[in-house]
Amino acid sequence: TQLLEQSPQFLSIQEGENLTVYCNSSSVFSSLQWYRQEPGEGPVLLVTVVTGGEVKKLKRLTFQFGDARKDSSLHITAAQPGDTGLYLCAGDGNDMRFGAGTRLTVKP
Amino acid sequence: NAGVTQTPKFQVLKTGQSMTLQCAQDMNHEYMSWYRQDPGMGLRLIHYSVGAGITDQGEVPNGYNVSRSTTEDFPLRLLSAAPSQTSVYFCASSYWRGQGANTGELFFGEGSRLTVL
């Protein structure tokens, strides 16, 4: 059983559409991170959220940390083919545990 | 700009063989870890270390050994490979601030793809 559940597992959309992916847990985390992974490479950090209710923006990407610090969402506005990849959330504590990821494909 | 370096990138083993996956980082990070990535399972933590001489188990430690003799190196040993250990293995490091602190941003290597026949 995954400590962090991500949904949807797969998402295929057209360029220009908006999307939201979710990361949920029954555990409380002191912080939560979002990573993006491209084929043949290791994950790369996008953002860290620390405070319950926190919202962070990274260009067209908006990240939100739930008030109870158990869940998070990633919203992408006007998706582009360059956004294609595997999006992973990770809960930070004594060690880092990852969700299974959402594999996003943005078609031109 | 080396960051985290993993070797080998690809390896094929027969069941029962042993091998070591190497990981080195040049960022003076105290925290290092090994993950395996399988389809639909995400990244699962195998072992981690918060400094030289200190190691601890993660979610899926069985069948793997680690040691940390220096800050830079964190090798992962498979003692007797099994087909269930076919996976992509990632080493990662972070600047860990000490007891009670979060792990922080993880810097990953490019991965080592292992196939056990």
Side-chain angles (χ1 to χ4, degrees):
Chain A
T1 303
Q2 294 282 149
L3 185 63
L4 288 155
E5 299 288 340
Q6 289 190 246
S7 61
Q9 188 175 359
F10 298 97
L11 186 58
S12 181
I13 61 171
Q14 293 294 134
E15 181 176 2
E17 293 183 3
N18 301 332
L19 67 113
T20 302
V21 299
Y22 301 92
C23 174
N24 296 295
S25 176
S26 57
S27 301
V28 175
F29 294 103
S30 55
S31 69
L32 194 141
Q33 299 179 354
W34 284 91
Y35 289 79
R36 180 163 161 256
Q37 184 180 19
E38 299 193 26
E41 299 181 7
V44 176
L45 180 70
L46 293 173
V47 77
T48 300
V49 286
V50 178
T51 305
E54 181 178 5
V55 176
K56 279 192 174 179
K57 293 192 175 183
L58 186 67
K59 297 184 180 178
R60 294 176 294 99
L61 279 60
T62 301
F63 303 85
Q64 185 161 6
F65 201 13
D67 290 341
R69 292 186 291 126
K70 293 182 180 181
D71 53 82
S72 181
S73 63
L74 160 58
H75 181 79
I76 301 179
T77 303
Q80 299 176 2
D83 295 326
T84 294
L86 178 66
Y87 289 82
L88 296 158
C89 67
D92 197 354
N94 292 329
D95 55 49
M96 190 81 74
R97 301 296 176 101
F98 284 79
T102 293
R103 188 167 298 281
L104 171 66
T105 302
V106 182
K107 293 180 280 189
Chain B
N1 287 349
V4 179
T5 303
Q6 290 184 233
T7 55
K9 291 195 184 325
F10 301 94
Q11 182 73 48
V12 179
L13 292 177
K14 294 181 180 179
T15 297
Q17 287 185 318
S18 62
M19 77 157 299
T20 299
L21 297 176
Q22 302 291 345
C23 176
Q25 53 91 9
D26 61 357
M27 296 173 282
N28 202 31
H29 285 169
E30 291 294 333
Y31 183 93
M32 296 186 74
S33 55
W34 277 101
Y35 290 86
R36 60 177 289 173
Q37 187 171 35
D38 303 291
M41 302 290 289
L43 288 158
R44 290 184 292 168
L45 182 64
I46 304 172
H47 286 285
Y48 66 99
S49 167
V50 297
I54 305 169
T55 63
D56 209 342
Q57 295 181 350
E59 302 171 73
V60 288
N62 293 340
Y64 307 95
N65 276 0
V66 292
S67 59
R68 186 92 180 271
S69 56
T70 66
T71 299
E72 294 78 19
D73 300 299
F74 191 44
L76 178 71
R77 297 182 185 84
L78 283 71
L79 303 177
S80 178
S84 61
Q85 293 179 304
T86 293
S87 187
V88 181
Y89 291 85
F90 286 97
C91 178
S93 71
S94 76
Y95 176 61
W96 181 67
R97 290 166 178 79
Q99 189 68 34
N102 288 343
T103 305
E105 177 182 1
L106 284 173
F107 294 83
F108 285 85
E110 293 185 338
S112 297
R113 183 175 294 275
L114 175 67
T115 302
V116 183
L117 302 175

